[in-house]
Amino acid sequence: MYRTKTCGELRLADAGTNVKLAGWVQRVRKMGGMTFVDVRDRYGITQVVFDTDLPELFEAANALGREYVVQIEGKVAERASKNDKLPTGDIEIIAKGLKVLNKSEIPPFTIEDNTDGGDDLRMKYRYLDLRRQCVKRNLELRHKMAFEIRRYLDSKGFLEIETPILVKSTPEGARDFVVPSRMNPGEFYALPQSPQLFKQLLMVSGYDRYFQIAKCFRDEDLRADRQPEFTQIDCEMSFVEQEDVIQMFEGLVKHIFKYVKGIDFTEPFPRMTWDDAMRLYGSDKPDIRFGMPFVELTDLVKGKGFKVMDDAELTVAIAAPGCASYTRKQLDELTEFVKRPQVGAKGLVWVKFEPDGSVKSSVGKFFTEDQLKEWGEKAGAKAGDLLLVLSGDAMKTRKQLCELRLEMGNRLGLRDKNVFAPLWVVDFPLFEWDEETQRYYAMHHPFTSPNPDDVPMLKTDTGKVRATAYDIVVNGTELGGGSIRIHDAALQDQMFELLGFTPERAQEQFGFLMNAFKYGAPPHGGLALGFDRFVSIVAGLDSIRDVIAFPKNNSGRDVMNESPSPIDPAQLEELKLKLDLEEEKK
Amino acid sequence: MYRTKTCGELRLADAGTNVKLAGWVQRVRKMGGMTFVDVRDRYGITQVVFDTDLPELFEAANALGREYVVQIEGKVAERASKNDKLPTGDIEIIAKGLKVLNKSEIPPFTIEDNTDGGDDLRMKYRYLDLRRQCVKRNLELRHKMAFEIRRYLDSKGFLEIETPILVKSTPEGARDFVVPSRMNPGEFYALPQSPQLFKQLLMVSGYDRYFQIAKCFRDEDLRADRQPEFTQIDCEMSFVEQEDVIQMFEGLVKHIFKYVKGIDFTEPFPRMTWDDAMRLYGSDKPDIRFGMPFVELTDLVKGKGFKVMDDAELTVAIAAPGCASYTRKQLDELTEFVKRPQVGAKGLVWVKFEPDGSVKSSVGKFFTEDQLKEWGEKAGAKAGDLLLVLSGDAMKTRKQLCELRLEMGNRLGLRDKNVFAPLWVVDFPLFEWDEETQRYYAMHHPFTSPNPDDVPMLKTDTGKVRATAYDIVVNGTELGGGSIRIHDAALQDQMFELLGFTPERAQEQFGFLMNAFKYGAPPHGGLALGFDRFVSIVAGLDSIRDVIAFPKNNSGRDVMNESPSPIDPAQLEELKLKLDLEEEKK
């Protein structure tokens, strides 16, 4: 045993006791005849004092470098000048012994929350980056959340069942990572995009409450916040309806906030239909930490001679509270914001409702003050508020205004990372129409059950059929979602037909699950939550990368250990594979 | 909600209440005007009664087939003839409603503990096999053990940290599964054989108590009880010595036996050096549920004119208690046993110590009764015991006698699956000499620390250097093992040299970890337990396959979903790969 105490636990009450600590040298400060060494471990930082009374020891302390690994023996003493920023700040160790357990080269960046190391350098030396307390807190949070998720689900009778990582490749959905099989030359495993198939099989097997904190894989071109491997809280239940699933996992989210963040949600989470979410927030994952819902002005603005609005399918506004005072510069910034290619609007109309009752607008010459006041009334704008108005194609305009609303939320400080606003979005459409291929696609997957009320419309009004599908959204981020699955063979056949599958193709792609369903499939449904995302939301972080110990970059590379990497030609030969890089060489 | 109660929870106290159940039809028994339907779910079986008073319902019940999914409404009633084999055997449900939620085709085998389905059929329909209560119990045990492992390690301050599945391929060790990278053509990830590298990095990062229940992968030719993917309880600690690690994980194993099996190990687990284990049991994983340790007779048998023993490096015996009564047939069976190619002995010498004090032996013409009695005395054989003796090359003979000892344990009923005998094996040799390549190999891995006492012998007496490595063995099966790692760069260099690595090759293969070690590596060590193995030991099963939900067969195939399988040529093209199956086609 190299230590009797950690660097985070000594308090004033320990003064006078002899202790042994081990850790890393955070800092050495030489003050005349005294040298102060801050020793850090996972649990905290403790100050150790060396003085000239023990000259050999003093000299050894002065020779210490940053990040040396040391073992300290000494006596706990009350500090003369206490540090109230450290839990151990009331005490220090009067050193009696010092052993250098290992030296360290000078690290390429400082091991501090505010480090001088840039992103790339920190990822290359991730093992040093992980020493920083702010990174460590994220991994501690991740551990605690995983533990509490398991504690909750175990208490509800769920069984965690591991499903395979080497699975069958399926052509539907995102691109699979594949693994060549040496023992079965020419054949490949796939890494699972989710345990969907296996969890539905487990329901057929009668494991009516299943969960797994499962690694999933997608070979996608990586966007800013995607990882080729990610972790999912995957769940499925039998003999349940939508309400049962929602209650169970609302309970899980509440449990986590309670035991991890000390936040007690006593009320049910609000619910919103997909239609309302799109109409009021232009998004299927609205951030409801703040208001500013959309108000449609189309009827009020049409036929008044302003061509932009006359021609537009939709004119829609938000009322930004207290923003009538915005300067020309601020308004120009907002106009620039909506015109950025990522947002894509042609321009922005604004109306200021001044505190004195007067009205100013960028479209003042097309509309009378009374007309503009009518807009304000409909939008619930009060004196001092700013109305921001977009016009155009309905779907596109809603998405643009959604971006603007979030931007206004940021500007007004309404998106506090310490405030959490969960929301269920329900009644998703079952189908999405694709203009290009002129056919319907399943919005979730082909096993999602239609809303029983809408089954009669499946053929007559396909696009309007609602799914028994639900998403849980927190602060404008999709935390997860799920659905009740189809367990009736006839209904499943009808779905495949609507999705344009021939019976042969349906059999080829999904035959395996459908065969299993012949032997008594129970009604079932479930949900999956993005675990990385969940942790990052609770931590108040923007990126999932910060809550993953060893993440990959946007090219799917681990820059720390330089993987992926070429492999031995002998290994390729064993796998009966050849590289086919000709195109590259041209 | 499809049910108000499960099929496992109703008791006599519930009589008179109205309930709703859902589950699978286990059995339909028609007895004149009554039909009894056993309904099964994950929690148990409940009997439901239909009679002619409700003719429509009665008819519907008579039409039910095995494994139909049904919803039952009815009233709980006390049974006339109780079934004390079922927890619900005191009651039955008088049916008032029956809804068929799904039909089932006739399953290919019976869903009973004693099923009529053979191995292959059950693996093909694994989703039906998983319905059997005996299989379900194994997965429930697995869940409970994983949960309790986490509860113990969390309580000891361990953090569970997920390490990547897409890692760097390393040429050392067993064969890696590889994953071609589409975004980095010509390059490959590997699937981890263990998180060894990452857990040592986490120690460098200061996460002094790490664990993970981690998926690991090995592309090996599969022996009977190997799986290409398996699960490991992977742990590492900093600032510890061997004793700290042993204490911590002995605590874990005790915790599991206590909370999962109700077995309280109050004494420390016994420990045995590797030398003793080999000398006394011919194995580094002795089954100490029973005695019969080896007794070496070499000195007593040499020079007596029996050529086999005169020429043998070692003559070694076990005394089988009470087996002097063995018949010629039984003795022949034992001789056949040791001569099987898997064991490989040339023959077996036996000595019977009859209850009347006389001695009989297969080598009676070479040795006097007094000489044989001397053997028996040395071996501690009492009247009525049977001495079984093997001679030959020391290492081979020990392994042969080890097999014979286990066989005798089986024959004598000394290997009770409900008795658990854990054992630490310590002081493993650091190096293994390989005759073929005429060099030393690391018995564990090149980062294993030598016993500090033996460091001076590293160059002079390499083969005798003990490692600071330990295995935990239960009932003759290796549950896991680990070591204290080298954290000193100079010692590590010396190790590489002894293992025949040039500095260049060491840098190429392990440079990444060695670079990390330059920035303050703490003393550290750890251990990994085979989780599948742990569950199968606790369940008293011989195979790990029985505790894996969806295992693969000996060719690495999932016969249920027919993976691995060929993939689309377009996908190969995207990966810049070509199949190279020419050899196959010849």
Side-chain angles (χ1 to χ4, degrees):
Chain A
M1 193 68 95
Y2 283 80
R3 62 186 172 194
T4 59
K5 296 282 176 184
T6 72
C7 296
E9 66 183 303
L10 292 169
R11 300 287 182 274
L12 200 50
D14 300 300
T17 60
N18 287 304
V19 297
K20 229 191 263 182
L21 300 181
W24 287 261
V25 172
Q26 177 81 19
R27 214 173 282 112
V28 179
R29 277 160 300 153
K30 298 169 191 174
M31 325 261 281
M34 309 259 274
T35 290
F36 297 91
V37 178
D38 285 349
V39 182
R40 185 197 70 235
D41 66 11
R42 189 183 125 198
Y43 310 92
I45 288 179
T46 297
Q47 177 169 297
V48 184
V49 191
F50 298 83
D51 65 27
T52 46
D53 290 354
L54 297 167
E56 256 182 62
L57 207 55
F58 184 69
E59 208 173 302
N62 285 331
L64 291 175
R66 273 204 291 139
E67 302 303 318
Y68 276 38
V69 187
V70 293
Q71 185 183 34
I72 302 282
E73 279 188 85
K75 185 176 274 194
V76 184
E78 182 169 3
R79 272 208 218 179
S81 63
K82 300 198 168 67
N83 178 349
D84 59 11
K85 281 179 198 145
L86 280 184
T88 60
D90 286 353
I91 58 93
E92 61 194 5
I93 311 291
I94 311 299
K96 290 190 229 171
L98 164 66
K99 191 172 173 189
V100 174
L101 299 174
N102 227 336
K103 292 188 176 188
S104 171
E105 294 190 3
I106 294 169
F109 51 85
T110 56
I111 311 297
E112 306 276 359
D113 281 6
N114 285 312
T115 178
D116 56 359
D119 255 21
D120 291 349
L121 197 63
R122 287 189 292 110
M123 292 316 290
K124 182 166 161 56
Y125 294 91
R126 179 65 170 169
Y127 47 86
L128 297 179
D129 193 35
L130 286 169
R131 283 186 188 168
R132 299 191 303 132
Q133 302 280 349
C134 57
V135 180
K136 194 200 66 184
R137 272 193 300 272
N138 297 336
L139 295 190
E140 286 175 339
L141 177 70
R142 187 178 178 109
H143 162 76
K144 183 149 198 212
M145 283 181 62
F147 189 74
E148 286 298 333
I149 288 162
R150 290 189 164 100
R151 197 162 71 87
Y152 174 86
L153 291 172
D154 177 76
S155 79
K156 300 293 181 187
F158 282 77
L159 294 178
E160 183 160 25
I161 299 176
E162 292 172 59
T163 56
I165 297 288
L166 297 171
V167 304
K168 189 183 176 72
S169 185
T170 49
E172 194 79 343
R175 203 185 284 106
D176 284 330
F177 281 106
V178 295
V179 182
S181 166
R182 180 182 54 86
M183 290 171 77
N184 304 276
E187 300 192 330
F188 293 77
Y189 303 99
L191 303 180
Q193 297 183 28
S194 88
Q196 184 69 29
L197 180 69
F198 288 102
K199 74 176 174 178
Q200 292 197 244
L201 286 178
L202 285 169
M203 294 305 110
V204 174
S205 300
Y207 295 75
D208 57 4
R209 293 186 168 195
Y210 144 90
F211 86 102
Q212 188 181 190
I213 300 187
K215 271 283 171 76
C216 303
F217 306 85
R218 263 175 224 177
D219 184 11
E220 287 175 339
D221 295 321
L222 301 172
R223 286 183 287 164
D225 204 25
R226 286 271 176 103
Q227 288 281 315
E229 57 180 298
F230 55 98
T231 305
Q232 191 166 294
I233 309 163
D234 189 54
C235 307
E236 196 80 1
M237 304 171 77
S238 289
F239 303 118
V240 290
E241 288 153 346
Q242 170 170 310
E243 189 59 29
D244 303 312
V245 180
I246 285 184
Q247 290 291 343
M248 183 61 72
F249 292 97
E250 182 164 322
L252 172 65
V253 174
K254 285 179 173 176
H255 178 95
I256 292 303
F257 276 106
K258 181 169 176 179
Y259 288 97
V260 173
K261 291 293 279 187
I263 296 173
D264 218 341
F265 285 98
T266 51
E267 296 296 312
F269 292 169
R271 299 187 193 179
M272 196 181 288
T273 65
W274 183 86
D275 275 346
D276 281 351
M278 295 309 290
R279 193 172 49 79
L280 295 172
Y281 299 97
S283 166
D284 58 3
K285 39 179 191 282
D287 184 348
I288 58 163
R289 276 175 296 185
F290 63 106
M292 284 195 247
F294 293 7
V295 181
E296 296 185 4
L297 304 177
T298 318
D299 292 348
L300 295 182
V301 304
K302 280 228 177 189
K304 301 294 189 287
F306 181 46
K307 194 170 181 322
V308 171
M309 291 183 177
D310 283 345
D311 293 351
E313 186 185 358
L314 178 75
T315 293
V316 60
I318 53 171
C323 295
S325 58
Y326 265 32
T327 60
R328 164 59 61 181
K329 181 161 171 281
Q330 286 173 302
L331 292 168
D332 285 348
E333 277 170 18
L334 293 182
T335 305
E336 284 314 303
F337 176 85
V338 298
K339 286 166 89 173
R340 295 187 316 164
Q342 302 95 307
V343 181
K346 295 229 170 71
L348 174 67
V349 168
W350 52 262
V351 188
K352 286 179 175 181
F353 296 93
E354 301 286 1
D356 65 6
S358 69
V359 178
K360 283 184 197 143
S361 173
S362 58
V363 291
K365 55 181 169 181
F366 297 102
F367 297 93
T368 66
E369 190 160 322
D370 280 351
Q371 284 172 332
L372 294 173
K373 278 185 176 167
E374 221 182 334
W375 299 10
E377 225 160 88
K378 183 153 189 204
K382 289 186 284 291
D385 290 356
L386 172 70
L387 206 65
L388 298 168
V389 188
L390 293 176
S391 298
D393 165 80
M395 230 29 195
K396 281 185 191 160
T397 306
R398 286 197 178 104
K399 283 186 180 155
Q400 292 157 2
L401 192 61
C402 169
E403 295 296 331
L404 181 59
R405 175 179 170 271
L406 294 174
E407 171 66 13
M408 289 310 297
N410 286 337
R411 284 173 176 249
L412 295 170
L414 301 172
R415 304 183 73 193
D416 182 347
K417 280 177 178 170
N418 296 307
V419 171
F420 298 94
L423 169 74
W424 288 102
V425 178
V426 296
D427 290 346
F428 276 79
L430 187 58
F431 300 99
E432 266 179 319
W433 178 254
D434 184 61
E435 276 299 328
E436 202 176 312
T437 53
Q438 289 284 307
R439 54 164 265 210
Y440 282 110
Y441 283 85
M443 200 165 196
H444 281 75
H445 56 60
F447 305 108
T448 303
S449 178
N451 185 315
D453 297 339
D454 296 354
V455 170
M457 316 196 302
L458 271 170
K459 288 208 164 149
T460 56
D461 216 348
T462 313
K464 292 215 169 133
V465 172
R466 292 165 299 169
T468 316
Y470 32 82
D471 272 5
I472 183 161
V473 172
V474 179
N475 294 0
T477 298
E478 182 193 328
L479 176 55
S483 65
I484 298 297
R485 328 298 180 186
I486 297 170
H487 67 280
D488 178 76
L491 183 58
Q492 186 67 64
D493 286 344
Q494 205 181 342
M495 273 295 285
F496 282 139
E497 198 191 320
L498 286 165
L499 292 168
F501 285 82
T502 59
E504 293 69 33
R505 209 177 125 232
Q507 183 62 33
E508 188 188 310
Q509 284 199 26
F510 306 108
F512 166 59
L513 187 63
M514 286 161 70
N515 284 343
F517 273 35
K518 285 181 192 159
Y519 294 98
H524 63 287
L527 147 159
L529 303 178
F531 182 53
D532 310 290
R533 179 65 58 205
F534 199 1
V535 181
S536 75
I537 290 172
V538 171
L541 296 166
D542 293 320
S543 164
I544 63 168
R545 204 173 289 181
D546 296 327
V547 301
I548 295 173
F550 300 101
K552 295 191 172 60
N553 74 8
N554 283 351
S555 318
R557 293 197 74 82
D558 181 339
V559 296
M560 179 183 73
N561 64 14
E562 283 306 331
S563 74
S565 57
I567 57 172
D568 207 65
Q571 198 168 0
L572 276 178
E573 211 170 287
E574 269 193 323
L575 296 170
K576 311 290 180 207
L577 286 177
K578 265 188 183 162
L579 295 184
D580 185 26
L581 300 174
E582 283 73 25
E583 280 178 56
E584 252 61 22
K585 287 174 195 157
K586 277 179 198 166
Chain B
M1 195 68 98
Y2 283 81
R3 62 186 173 194
T4 59
K5 296 282 176 184
T6 72
C7 296
E9 65 183 305
L10 292 169
R11 298 289 182 274
L12 201 50
D14 299 300
T17 60
N18 287 304
V19 297
K20 229 190 263 183
L21 300 181
W24 286 261
V25 172
Q26 176 82 20
R27 213 173 285 111
V28 179
R29 277 162 299 152
K30 297 170 192 175
M31 324 261 283
M34 310 259 274
T35 292
F36 297 91
V37 178
D38 284 350
V39 181
R40 185 197 70 236
D41 67 10
R42 189 183 126 199
Y43 310 91
I45 288 180
T46 297
Q47 176 169 297
V48 184
V49 191
F50 298 82
D51 66 27
T52 45
D53 290 352
L54 296 168
E56 257 181 60
L57 206 56
F58 185 68
E59 209 173 301
N62 285 331
L64 290 175
R66 273 205 290 139
E67 301 304 318
Y68 276 36
V69 187
V70 293
Q71 185 183 34
I72 302 282
E73 280 187 84
K75 184 175 273 193
V76 183
E78 182 169 2
R79 272 209 219 180
S81 62
K82 300 199 167 69
N83 178 348
D84 59 10
K85 281 179 198 146
L86 280 184
T88 60
D90 286 352
I91 58 92
E92 61 195 3
I93 311 291
I94 311 299
K96 288 189 230 171
L98 165 65
K99 192 173 169 186
V100 174
L101 298 173
N102 228 337
K103 293 189 173 187
S104 170
E105 294 189 3
I106 294 168
F109 51 84
T110 56
I111 311 297
E112 307 275 358
D113 281 7
N114 284 312
T115 179
D116 56 1
D119 256 22
D120 291 349
L121 196 63
R122 285 188 293 107
M123 292 316 291
K124 181 165 161 55
Y125 293 90
R126 179 66 170 169
Y127 46 87
L128 297 180
D129 193 36
L130 286 168
R131 284 188 189 167
R132 299 191 305 131
Q133 303 279 350
C134 57
V135 180
K136 194 200 66 185
R137 273 194 299 275
N138 296 337
L139 295 190
E140 284 174 341
L141 176 70
R142 187 179 179 109
H143 162 77
K144 182 150 199 212
M145 284 181 61
F147 189 74
E148 286 297 333
I149 288 161
R150 290 189 164 101
R151 196 161 72 87
Y152 174 85
L153 291 172
D154 177 77
S155 79
K156 300 292 182 189
F158 281 78
L159 293 178
E160 183 162 23
I161 298 176
E162 293 172 59
T163 56
I165 297 289
L166 297 171
V167 305
K168 190 182 175 73
S169 184
T170 49
E172 193 81 344
R175 204 184 284 105
D176 283 329
F177 280 106
V178 296
V179 182
S181 167
R182 182 182 52 87
M183 290 172 77
N184 305 277
E187 299 193 332
F188 294 78
Y189 303 99
L191 303 181
Q193 296 183 31
S194 88
Q196 184 69 30
L197 181 69
F198 289 102
K199 75 176 176 179
Q200 291 196 245
L201 286 179
L202 285 169
M203 294 306 110
V204 174
S205 300
Y207 294 74
D208 57 4
R209 293 187 167 194
Y210 145 89
F211 85 102
Q212 187 181 192
I213 300 187
K215 271 283 170 77
C216 303
F217 306 84
R218 263 175 224 176
D219 184 12
E220 287 176 338
D221 296 320
L222 301 172
R223 285 183 288 162
D225 206 25
R226 285 271 177 102
Q227 288 281 316
E229 56 180 298
F230 54 98
T231 305
Q232 193 165 294
I233 308 163
D234 190 54
C235 306
E236 195 80 3
M237 303 170 76
S238 290
F239 303 118
V240 290
E241 288 155 345
Q242 170 171 310
E243 189 59 29
D244 304 312
V245 180
I246 285 184
Q247 290 291 342
M248 182 61 73
F249 292 97
E250 182 164 322
L252 173 64
V253 174
K254 285 179 172 175
H255 178 95
I256 292 303
F257 276 107
K258 181 167 176 180
Y259 289 97
V260 173
K261 291 292 279 186
I263 297 172
D264 217 344
F265 285 97
T266 52
E267 297 296 313
F269 292 168
R271 298 187 193 181
M272 196 180 287
T273 65
W274 182 87
D275 275 345
D276 281 352
M278 295 309 291
R279 192 172 50 79
L280 295 172
Y281 300 97
S283 166
D284 57 4
K285 39 180 193 280
D287 184 348
I288 59 162
R289 276 175 296 185
F290 64 105
M292 284 195 247
F294 294 5
V295 181
E296 296 184 6
L297 304 177
T298 318
D299 292 348
L300 296 182
V301 304
K302 280 227 178 192
K304 302 292 188 288
F306 182 46
K307 193 170 182 320
V308 171
M309 291 183 177
D310 282 346
D311 293 352
E313 185 184 0
L314 178 76
T315 292
V316 59
I318 53 171
C323 296
S325 58
Y326 265 32
T327 61
R328 164 61 58 183
K329 181 162 171 279
Q330 283 173 304
L331 293 168
D332 285 349
E333 276 170 16
L334 292 182
T335 307
E336 283 315 303
F337 176 85
V338 298
K339 286 167 90 173
R340 292 186 318 161
Q342 301 96 306
V343 181
K346 294 232 170 69
L348 174 67
V349 167
W350 53 262
V351 187
K352 286 179 175 181
F353 296 93
E354 303 285 1
D356 64 6
S358 68
V359 179
K360 283 183 198 144
S361 173
S362 58
V363 291
K365 55 183 169 180
F366 298 102
F367 297 93
T368 66
E369 189 160 320
D370 279 351
Q371 284 172 332
L372 295 173
K373 278 187 177 167
E374 219 182 334
W375 299 10
E377 226 160 88
K378 183 153 189 205
K382 288 186 286 290
D385 290 357
L386 172 70
L387 206 65
L388 297 168
V389 189
L390 293 176
S391 298
D393 166 78
M395 230 27 194
K396 280 186 191 161
T397 305
R398 286 198 178 104
K399 281 187 182 156
Q400 292 156 4
L401 192 60
C402 169
E403 295 297 329
L404 181 60
R405 175 180 170 270
L406 294 175
E407 170 67 13
M408 289 311 296
N410 286 336
R411 284 174 176 250
L412 295 170
L414 300 172
R415 304 183 75 194
D416 183 346
K417 281 179 178 171
N418 296 307
V419 170
F420 299 94
L423 169 75
W424 287 103
V425 178
V426 297
D427 289 346
F428 276 78
L430 187 57
F431 300 99
E432 266 178 319
W433 177 255
D434 184 61
E435 276 299 329
E436 202 176 313
T437 54
Q438 288 285 306
R439 56 166 264 212
Y440 281 110
Y441 284 85
M443 200 164 197
H444 281 75
H445 56 62
F447 304 108
T448 303
S449 179
N451 185 316
D453 297 341
D454 296 354
V455 169
M457 317 195 301
L458 270 170
K459 288 206 166 153
T460 55
D461 216 348
T462 311
K464 291 216 168 132
V465 172
R466 292 166 299 168
T468 316
Y470 31 82
D471 272 4
I472 182 160
V473 172
V474 179
N475 294 0
T477 298
E478 183 192 328
L479 176 56
S483 66
I484 297 297
R485 329 298 180 186
I486 297 170
H487 68 279
D488 178 75
L491 183 57
Q492 186 67 64
D493 286 345
Q494 205 180 340
M495 272 295 284
F496 283 138
E497 198 189 320
L498 287 165
L499 292 168
F501 285 82
T502 60
E504 293 70 32
R505 208 177 126 231
Q507 183 61 35
E508 188 188 309
Q509 283 197 27
F510 307 107
F512 166 61
L513 186 62
M514 286 161 70
N515 284 342
F517 273 34
K518 286 181 192 158
Y519 295 98
H524 62 287
L527 147 158
L529 303 178
F531 182 52
D532 309 291
R533 178 67 57 209
F534 198 0
V535 182
S536 75
I537 289 172
V538 172
L541 297 166
D542 293 321
S543 164
I544 63 168
R545 203 174 289 181
D546 295 326
V547 301
I548 296 173
F550 299 101
K552 295 192 172 56
N553 73 8
N554 282 353
S555 318
R557 295 196 72 82
D558 180 339
V559 295
M560 179 184 71
N561 65 14
E562 282 305 331
S563 74
S565 57
I567 58 171
D568 207 65
Q571 196 169 0
L572 276 176
E573 212 170 285
E574 270 193 324
L575 295 169
K576 311 289 180 208
L577 287 177
K578 264 187 184 164
L579 295 183
D580 186 25
L581 300 174
E582 282 74 26
E583 280 177 57
E584 252 60 22
K585 286 173 196 158
K586 276 176 198 166

